[in-house]
């Protein structure tokens, strides 16, 4: 039976440092990302791919705001849906081209995905996630008055809108995604963490919020029961004492040991922290193995010769062969 993997594609795989984020740049980047995914298909994996959408949503919001005098404006949830379609198209086309070049006949589909959140989530009362452009104080105060936005000050750059970042509860298209994977389809889903929705009197309603993409990916991976959860990021390993003289890469580690390092503050909240937290959530929910690495090393990582491998404490033998520096329990 085929193995299954969920690959969470980092934002750097779509728009790289120093780039403007043009469609031409994104196409070139998604083609490189797709080549790494095809390597996993060749290894026999059935794939679900999730992705970030921060810059694209920001651009959607800015276009909506700047053109509001000539066309209809869009709410954040609708911008999230639009960005899923935009990025999903770029990824799907790149994957289709790479699969064809490799002589593989794997169908690809993008599923615009909704993620359920709770109206009672404490985050709904305390917006913390910055989105969109920076404003002057006068413009920010006008946005706050006219639109009811929550605004925070960045002393160096101006003022910015913040929105809630609630916990993902359920991926609503889960069964559709599972059926597609079982039918041999490569699925792109849950872009940007999914479109936040809540139930109001039994009906679904979009929410102006942002869901952490790694947490939503972890939830989807656990609910699907995938064999491997992989997060691609901008470093080849997870490091202890990152960017310090004594930094040390982690090759393979059990979840309980990684949790100790997490609690000790080795992984910053705005960088590696959410990725480590999401991997731990997956393993605590019954997952067996996870990998964190750069997308360039993804195929090598899945074969066990690169990247950081995190193993559930209950596992006796990893399904990935030849994991370098296999940890010793206890």
């Amino acid at each position: 039976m085929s193995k299954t993997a969920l690959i969470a594609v980092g934002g750097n795989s779509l728009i790289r440092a120093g780039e403007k984020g043009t469609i031409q740049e994104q196409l070139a980047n998604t083609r490189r990302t797709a080549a790494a995914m095809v390597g996993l298909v060749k290894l026999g994996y059935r794939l679900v791919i999730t992705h970030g959408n921060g810059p694209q949503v920001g651009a959607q919001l800015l276009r909506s705001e700047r053109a509001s005098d000539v066309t209809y404006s869009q709410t954040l949830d609708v911008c999230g849906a639009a960005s899923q379609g935009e990025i999903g198209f770029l990824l799907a086309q790149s994957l289709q081209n790479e699969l064809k070049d490799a002589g593989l006949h794997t169908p690809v589909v993008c599923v615009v995905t909704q993620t359920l959140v709770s109206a009672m989530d404490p985050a709904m009362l305390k917006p913390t996630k910055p989105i969109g452009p920076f404003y002057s104080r006068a413009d920010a105060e006008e946005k706050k008055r006219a639109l009811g936005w929550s605004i925070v000050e960045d002393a160096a750059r101006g003022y910015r809108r913040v929105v809630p970042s609630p916990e993902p509860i359920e991926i609503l298209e889960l069964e559709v995604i599972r059926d597609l994977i079982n039918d041999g389809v490569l699925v792109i889903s849950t872009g940007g963490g999914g479109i936040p929705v809540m139930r109001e009197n039994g009906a679904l309603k979009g929410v102006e919020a942002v869901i952490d993409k790694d947490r939503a990916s972890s939830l989807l991976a656990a609910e699907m029961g995938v064999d491997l959860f992989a997060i691609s990021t901008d470093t080849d390993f997870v490091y202890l004492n990152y960017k310090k003289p004594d930094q040390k890469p982690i090759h393979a580690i059990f979840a309980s040991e990684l949790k100790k390092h997490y609690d000790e503050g080795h992984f910053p909240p705005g960088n590696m922290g959410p990725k480590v937290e999401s991997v731990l959530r997956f393993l605590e929910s019954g997952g067996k193995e996870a990998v964190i690495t750069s997308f360039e090393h993804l195929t090598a990582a899945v074969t066990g010769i690169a990247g950081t491998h995190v193993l559930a404490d209950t596992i006796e033998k990893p399904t990935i062969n030849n994991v370098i520096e296999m940890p010793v329990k206890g």
Side-chain angles (χ1 to χ4, degrees):
M1 183 175 179
S2 298
K3 297 166 288 186
T4 56
L6 187 145
I7 313 298
V9 177
N12 66 298
S13 298
L14 305 172
I15 299 177
R16 312 197 79 173
E19 294 182 342
K20 294 182 179 180
T22 65
I23 294 300
Q24 290 74 20
E25 288 173 338
Q26 291 190 62
L27 268 172
N29 292 333
T30 53
R31 190 72 186 255
R32 286 191 287 268
T33 301
M37 303 302 172
V38 169
L40 302 185
V41 175
K42 288 179 179 178
L43 291 174
Y45 280 92
R46 293 186 178 186
L47 300 181
V48 180
I49 299 172
T50 65
H51 59 81
N53 69 345
Q56 292 85 356
V57 164
Q60 291 274 359
L61 287 167
L62 189 57
R63 283 192 289 268
S64 176
E65 182 182 334
R66 295 280 174 87
S68 61
D69 59 333
V70 294
T71 188
Y72 62 90
S73 59
Q74 294 180 325
T75 55
L76 180 55
D77 53 328
V78 173
C79 287
S83 71
Q84 281 197 50
E86 173 188 339
I87 299 168
F89 158 66
L90 297 176
L91 278 171
Q93 185 181 82
S94 295
L95 283 161
Q96 287 162 340
N97 288 334
E98 288 293 323
L99 287 163
K100 180 177 180 293
D101 289 349
L104 298 171
H105 304 285
T106 303
V108 181
V109 69
C110 172
V111 177
V112 177
T113 313
Q114 302 173 91
T115 302
L116 186 68
V117 300
S118 171
M120 304 305 293
D121 191 309
M124 298 303 295
L125 301 176
K126 190 178 180 181
T128 59
K129 181 69 174 178
I131 61 166
F134 289 89
Y135 299 96
S136 67
R137 181 171 182 174
D139 287 343
E141 288 179 349
E142 175 60 21
K143 299 291 183 185
K144 184 175 182 179
R145 183 196 65 78
L147 302 173
W149 287 1
S150 295
I151 301 288
V152 295
E153 181 181 4
D154 182 319
R157 292 179 287 182
Y159 294 79
R160 204 173 182 197
R161 182 186 179 188
V162 288
V163 297
S165 184
E167 285 286 329
I169 297 173
E170 180 184 352
I171 308 298
L172 295 186
E173 286 75 20
L174 172 65
E175 293 304 322
V176 174
I177 296 167
R178 181 180 284 132
D179 288 346
L180 287 166
I181 291 297
N182 290 338
D183 287 340
V185 179
L186 193 161
V187 179
I188 303 162
S189 79
T190 323
I195 306 160
V197 297
M198 61 176 61
R199 287 196 172 97
E200 190 174 274
N201 298 322
L204 292 172
K205 175 185 177 182
V207 180
E208 292 210 89
V210 172
I211 298 172
D212 183 271
K213 66 182 184 303
D214 293 318
R215 289 181 179 177
S217 298
S218 176
L219 175 63
L220 179 59
E223 290 187 339
M224 289 192 63
V226 297
D227 298 297
L228 176 68
F229 175 36
I231 297 180
S232 81
T233 184
D234 56 358
T235 61
D236 48 355
F237 295 97
V238 177
Y239 289 85
L240 298 178
N241 303 316
Y242 184 53
K243 290 188 175 180
K244 296 179 181 179
D246 59 341
Q247 78 170 17
K248 179 182 178 182
I250 300 173
H251 294 284
I253 191 169
F254 285 104
S256 58
E257 189 68 20
L258 185 64
K259 178 66 163 57
K260 290 179 184 177
H261 295 313
Y262 177 82
D263 292 341
E264 290 167 356
H266 278 277
F267 313 117
N271 188 1
M272 190 58 71
K275 295 170 177 54
V276 169
E277 178 193 43
S278 298
V279 161
L280 291 172
R281 287 185 180 204
F282 168 69
L283 297 173
E284 289 165 0
S285 299
K288 299 301 182 184
E289 299 182 46
V291 172
I292 301 176
T293 191
S294 60
F295 78 88
E296 295 95 336
H297 294 92
L298 193 56
T299 301
V302 170
T303 61
I305 59 175
T308 294
H309 297 257
V310 189
L311 311 176
D313 287 86
T314 56
I315 201 167
E316 292 298 329
K317 181 182 179 182
T319 56
I320 298 173
N321 296 322
N322 304 316
V323 174
I324 50 180
E325 293 192 15
M326 261 298 297
V328 177
K329 289 188 178 179

